[in-house]
């Protein structure tokens, strides 16, 4: 019984460490993504383009849903996450546009 408890605790700790590592990777990836989208926002502001690109958003959503499905992730969850990220990107693009005097 004691060995079983020890094994459980060790397994739990290893899995939690993996989750912590994955969370850190996700944060770093999101930060890099937002650095890229910020640069896009600056380009769009300089060239008078809209913050949103509906065609790109539809294509990305289709691609992400497919990737999610292939990976065993619920495509609806992937869509919700994508919507959250896009909302933040658009908010940031609008701020860049305002700060540049283009908006």
């Amino acid at each position: 019984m004691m060995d079983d408890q020890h094994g459980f605790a060790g397994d739990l700790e290893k899995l939690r460490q993996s989750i912590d590592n994955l969370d850190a990777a996700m944060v770093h990836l999101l930060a890099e993504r937002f650095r890229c989208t910020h640069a896009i926002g600056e380009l769009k502001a300089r060239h008078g383009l809209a913050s949103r690109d509906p065609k790109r958003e539809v294509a990305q959503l289709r691609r992400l849903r497919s990737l999610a499905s292939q990976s065993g992730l619920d495509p609806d969850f992937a869509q919700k996450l994508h919507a959250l990220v896009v909302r933040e990107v658009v908010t940031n693009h609008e701020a860049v546009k305002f700060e540049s005097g283009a908006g």
Side-chain angles (χ1 to χ4, degrees):
M1 182 75 162
M2 194 63 145
D3 284 340
D4 196 35
Q5 276 296 87
H6 187 265
F8 166 79
D11 290 347
L12 185 61
E13 183 56 34
K14 285 178 191 173
L15 289 168
R16 286 180 172 166
Q17 184 61 53
S18 291
I19 288 170
D20 291 349
N21 291 340
L22 291 164
D23 285 345
M26 285 190 302
V27 167
H28 292 295
L29 286 170
L30 282 169
E32 182 60 24
R33 189 187 195 288
F34 281 108
R35 277 189 283 279
C36 291
T37 58
H38 183 80
I40 288 171
E42 289 176 336
L43 280 170
K44 285 181 172 184
R46 269 198 311 273
H47 295 278
L49 298 174
S51 296
R52 296 193 84 128
D53 183 344
K55 286 183 184 178
R56 166 84 174 154
E57 290 176 30
V58 168
Q60 279 295 91
L61 182 56
R62 193 174 297 128
R63 186 177 78 82
L64 291 174
R65 286 185 66 87
S66 176
L67 287 170
S69 188
Q70 293 168 21
S71 298
L73 181 67
D74 179 1
D76 291 336
F77 173 76
Q79 183 169 343
K80 290 175 191 173
L81 181 59
H82 179 253
L84 176 66
V85 170
V86 168
R87 273 195 307 273
E88 187 65 21
V89 167
V90 170
T91 298
N92 291 340
H93 284 189
E94 290 297 318
V96 167
K97 189 186 296 185
F98 179 78
E99 290 166 6
S100 73

